[in-house]
Amino acid sequence: MPAGWLCTLRAVRILSIESSCDESAAAVLDSDRGLLAHVVFSQIELHRIYGGVVPELASRDHVQRLLPLVRDVLVQAGTDRDGLDGVAYTAGPGLVGALLTGAALARSLAFAWNLPAVGVHHLEGHLLAPLLEPHPPPFPHLALLVSGGHTMLIEVRAIGAYRLLGQTRDDAAGEAFDKTAKLLGLPYPGGPALSRLAAQGREDAFHFPRPMLDRPGLEFSFSGLKTAVLHAVRGRELTDELRADVARGVEAAIVDALCAKALRALEQTGLEILTVSGGVGANRRLREELVRAVSRRGGSVYFPRLEFCTDNAAMIAVAGLARLQAGQHEPLSIRAHARWALDGLPPVAA
Ligand code: KG4
Ligand code: ZN
């Protein structure tokens, strides 16, 4: 990353820590030299047998993993405390116990090293992940943020200037992938597994409802999909062919709804640039459909690379660096927010 979005200011280097859910991660970002290193440990295997994230297990595992990850990332980045200007960490939203492990470690390191600590909003991290790419999106743009916990359309005027245009009324897009995947007997997390299975399914075997599409506005609703899938498979033997056809239908319904509302938001705001981030942003069909639809109307779409769609600390470093450069850091009390409104964040002055 040439870090063109920051490089007019004094060079700053930051260590970042992410622990909001089931990924433990650390990164080092330098405003002049870009991303120096990032490491992620996924707890997926730990939670798989439970079919979802068990918060207490997540917290305990973060406690064990984070410090070695921080050590590794500093070695890989070729830096130590003397090369750092601050420590960023995910302060929320997320699982509060998991957040506290990262917050406590980051604040303790900052205290011991006499550096400022920056609590970062996890969704701001996702929103800014496309800035890690060699060709970052210009501002203003529209962001489609699709993760396991959130489905949002956000007008991004600048770093720190966000306007929520629409979100889901019930399940998030990633949750819809995960829950329907579970109904089909696929392992957790269901999104990638369902997407792989869908590639073998027939296009028109199932047409699941696309709620909210016929209504004005920019809201989503995905909770009906589970029931629709249950009805579709009720009384039938769950053969590999049937599962693949259902998976194809589910993926098409989710992707259609996301594309239609994203296009509507571009139309309503007059914006031409779309960014897509969050775990569901790794979905191949979603990426293809969005590129096709947005370029047809003369706009362009920016994605983070796949490893920066799902949870990682590099994106937390981007947000932390921007806020540190804007002089925003906090006293060393430890805070973590299980819920946190994105549009209440202070602006970052240009
Ligand atoms: O952003 P993320 O890593 O964590 C949250 O902050 O929620 O997103 C995780 C979500 C999960 O629901 C997972 O099933 C979904 O992203 N996901 C996918 C794909 N890869 C991850 N969904 C559909 N297709 C994929 N390829
Ligand atoms: Zn996330």
Side-chain angles (χ1 to χ4, degrees), residues 18 20-21 23 93 122-123 126 145 147-150 278-279 309-312 315:
E18 153 68 31
S20 64
C21 190
E23 261 93 28
H122 182 78
L123 299 186
H126 276 303
L145 201 168
S147 69
H150 298 88
C309 283
T310 44
D311 288 348
N312 65 87
M315 67 184 196

Side-chain angles (χ1 to χ4, degrees), residues 41-107:
F41 177 84
S42 169
Q43 301 178 351
I44 282 176
E45 293 308 324
L46 178 69
H47 301 289
R48 183 163 278 149
I49 54 166
Y50 304 100
V53 177
V54 182
E56 180 60 26
L57 293 184
S59 310
R60 290 183 198 183
D61 206 58
H62 286 310
V63 168
Q64 290 183 6
R65 304 278 173 195
L66 283 176
L67 198 50
L69 284 173
V70 165
R71 221 177 271 138
D72 285 355
V73 87
L74 290 175
V75 170
Q76 285 184 31
T79 195
D80 57 18
R81 178 264 166 260
D82 291 339
L84 295 174
D85 298 287
V87 184
Y89 64 94
T90 304
L95 302 172
V96 79
L99 289 166
L100 278 169
T101 65
L105 176 59
R107 287 290 173 101

Side-chain angles (χ1 to χ4, degrees), residues 176-228:
F177 269 110
D178 294 343
K179 286 179 175 171
T180 48
K182 204 170 185 177
L183 293 177
L184 296 177
L186 298 174
Y188 170 84
L194 188 133
S195 175
R196 274 193 300 277
L197 187 60
Q200 298 155 31
R202 289 172 299 161
E203 192 178 337
D204 296 316
F206 288 96
H207 184 87
F208 292 116
R210 280 106 166 115
M212 317 291 292
L213 271 202
D214 49 344
R215 292 192 220 164
L218 298 171
E219 290 190 310
F220 302 91
S221 167
F222 292 110
S223 63
L225 259 180
K226 285 167 298 185
T227 323

Side-chain angles (χ1 to χ4, degrees), residues 1 21 63 81 111 118 124 133 155 176 191 202 205 210 212 229 256 258 261 265 271 276 325 330:
M1 180 189 64
C21 190
V63 168
R81 178 264 166 260
F111 179 75
V118 190
E124 180 170 53
E133 300 308 322
E155 182 183 346
R202 289 172 299 161
R210 280 106 166 115
M212 317 291 292
V229 168
D256 265 10
L258 295 174
K261 292 290 163 102
L271 294 167
V276 185
Q325 288 209 317
E330 302 129 9

Side-chain angles (χ1 to χ4, degrees), residues 225-241:
L225 259 180
K226 285 167 298 185
T227 323
V229 168
L230 274 177
H231 278 300
V233 300
R234 181 177 295 155
R236 297 174 68 172
E237 188 193 346
L238 215 50
T239 61
D240 288 349
E241 288 76 21

